[in-house]
Amino acid sequence: MILGREFTRMPWNDNSGGGGSGGPWGNGSGGGGNRNNNNNPWGRPGGQGNGGGGNDQQPPDLDELVERMQASIARMFGGGGGRRSGGGSGKGGKGGGIAGTLIVAAIVGFAVIVWPGRSFYTVEPEEAGVVMRFGNYVRTTQPGLHVKLPWPIETVELPQVTQTHTIEIGSNNRGESEMLTRDENIVDIAFTVQWRVDLSSPEGIRDFVFNVRDPEGTVRAVAESAIREVVGTSDLQPIITTARAEVSQRTRELMQTTLDEYGAGIQVLQVNLQRSQAPQSVIDAFRDVDAAAQDAERARLNATAHANQVLPQARGTAARLIQEAEAYRDSVIAEAQGEADRFVAVYQEYAQAPEVTRRRMFLETMETVIGGSDLIILDGDGGAVPYLPLDQLGRQRAEPNQ
């Protein structure tokens, strides 16, 4: 074996009895010294030196060590365990030497070919490469072929970072779906959470790999805590009717804030409420309450519609009456004013000619009184014979005037 031959030529295996120093462990001077050498790390107590039969401690024969190792390897591969003696070697020794040579060649090939090959790694499109040097984070690499220091100096983790994960909460477990609201009612809620690794920065991938042992369990626990806090600060009626979107948004924001405080490297994409209702045991009562509320709302709308119809009519009638009253007032005032003005004018004329004015007023009054009467005047001195019936005479006189 080459390794054995190289070691046998080393100077500390010189067993001659010359006057040299005998290698790095000092074998003594001369050939016959009977002296114990304490500097020999492989010293064998009681061993015989090569010089003159003294008790010096000598290093072991390296050929013998190599033969023992070869024999052990040969026995592992089924070869003989013969030991070389004299100047030759047995059949078993040859088999052991060949097996040992193959082992050394395999080790050298691994060191030259395989070990440097561990420096290359490939990151798939849905993955990210997290490189660690002796277990400490170094860098994050993007998809593609990359180079790192060989194992065990640097290692790489390849987590999937582009996949969107979905967690359902409250679909099958009533214990986690029933929650207490601010107005001391119980609501039954089921929702889903969509999340993935935070890709906004390399620190997000690093935190996801190093800070979170169970990502799905962490997201589930944070989601349950966040939804219970949001429901506990809200009333039942908005949660099951108009505030579903607000509950989802507040839950997502609270989850993201909590995960950022944990340094989890997780991004919450969306929270969707699948079910938001009263518990099954009281759902009928809640339906009756909702029906009554709808009836009340319908009655209120009908009353509002009737009021919107009646009030304008009443306002129109009131305005018409006010206008008629104002017109009557104006007419009465104008008529009274005219009478007063006429009386003043008559008085002024009377003051200028009292006699004429009195006669004129008498004549006008008589005209007014007699003009509307059916009057027949008979002149007795003229010998006229009364004409009977007189009413027919008056009617015949009135007809030509019409």
Side-chain angles (χ1 to χ4, degrees), residues 24-359:
W25 292 283
N27 207 22
S29 60
N34 187 9
R35 182 172 57 89
N36 185 13
N37 186 1
N38 293 327
N39 294 324
N40 184 0
W42 290 339
R44 290 176 293 182
Q48 300 295 327
N50 294 331
N55 293 327
D56 291 340
Q57 295 179 356
Q58 300 295 333
D61 188 356
L62 293 181
D63 286 341
E64 182 179 357
L65 293 177
V66 172
E67 287 180 0
R68 292 179 180 175
M69 183 174 62
Q70 290 176 351
S72 300
I73 296 175
R75 283 194 298 271
M76 292 174 58
F77 288 91
R83 176 181 177 181
R84 186 173 62 184
S85 61
S89 61
K91 183 177 179 181
K94 290 183 179 180
I98 295 173
T101 302
L102 292 176
I103 293 297
V104 173
I107 294 174
V108 173
F110 176 82
V112 174
I113 299 174
V114 179
W115 195 61
R118 301 290 296 275
S119 299
F120 299 94
Y121 66 97
T122 302
V123 181
E124 299 297 333
E126 69 276 5
E127 298 175 341
V130 180
V131 181
M132 294 170 286
R133 183 175 301 161
F134 297 114
N136 291 328
Y137 172 79
V138 177
R139 62 187 179 276
T140 300
T141 56
Q142 300 301 319
L145 181 63
H146 301 276
V147 179
K148 65 177 181 63
L149 296 178
W151 179 89
I153 301 175
E154 285 188 350
T155 57
V156 61
E157 293 283 344
L158 300 174
Q160 291 187 351
V161 296
T162 60
Q163 181 180 1
T164 299
H165 304 269
T166 302
I167 297 178
E168 296 183 358
I169 300 176
S171 298
N172 301 319
N173 189 351
R174 291 294 178 183
E176 66 183 11
S177 65
E178 294 183 353
M179 306 173 190
L180 187 65
T181 63
R182 180 174 59 184
D183 53 356
E184 297 182 356
N185 287 311
I186 297 177
V187 62
D188 184 11
I189 288 182
F191 63 101
T192 60
V193 178
Q194 295 181 349
W195 64 276
R196 71 176 182 186
V197 180
D198 187 5
L199 302 179
S200 59
S201 64
E203 289 76 11
I205 302 175
R206 178 199 64 187
D207 294 341
F208 178 77
V209 173
F210 288 97
N211 295 346
V212 181
R213 177 179 299 177
D214 181 10
E216 183 171 352
T218 301
V219 173
R220 177 180 292 274
V222 172
E224 291 183 9
S225 175
I227 192 68
R228 290 182 184 278
E229 180 174 346
V230 173
V231 170
T233 56
S234 304
D235 294 334
L236 174 64
Q237 194 65 26
I239 294 176
I240 63 178
T241 54
T242 60
R244 294 167 59 93
E246 181 182 356
V247 170
S248 300
Q249 181 66 19
R250 290 177 57 191
T251 303
R252 191 197 70 80
E253 294 175 355
L254 185 57
M255 286 183 61
Q256 190 64 64
T257 301
T258 304
L259 291 172
D260 291 343
E261 293 177 355
Y262 290 168
I266 294 175
Q267 180 183 7
V268 180
L269 300 178
Q270 195 170 6
V271 176
N272 299 318
L273 284 183
Q274 303 295 328
R275 183 180 69 247
S276 177
Q277 62 184 17
Q280 192 64 32
S281 58
V282 295
I283 190 66
D284 294 336
F286 270 89
R287 289 175 180 172
D288 293 340
V289 171
D290 291 338
Q294 293 176 2
D295 293 340
E297 183 67 16
R298 182 169 58 253
R300 187 185 67 82
L301 293 177
N302 292 335
T304 301
H306 180 69
N308 294 334
Q309 181 180 1
V310 172
L311 288 178
Q313 294 179 355
R315 293 190 182 98
T317 303
R320 181 176 59 82
L321 293 176
I322 291 174
Q323 291 176 357
E324 291 177 355
E326 290 177 351
Y328 176 75
R329 180 198 62 187
D330 294 340
S331 64
V332 171
I333 293 175
E335 185 178 357
Q337 187 66 38
E339 292 292 335
D341 294 339
R342 187 179 66 82
F343 180 81
V344 172
V346 171
Y347 174 75
Q348 292 176 355
E349 294 294 333
Y350 176 79
Q352 294 178 0
E355 186 62 28
V356 175
T357 301
R358 282 197 299 270
R359 182 173 291 277

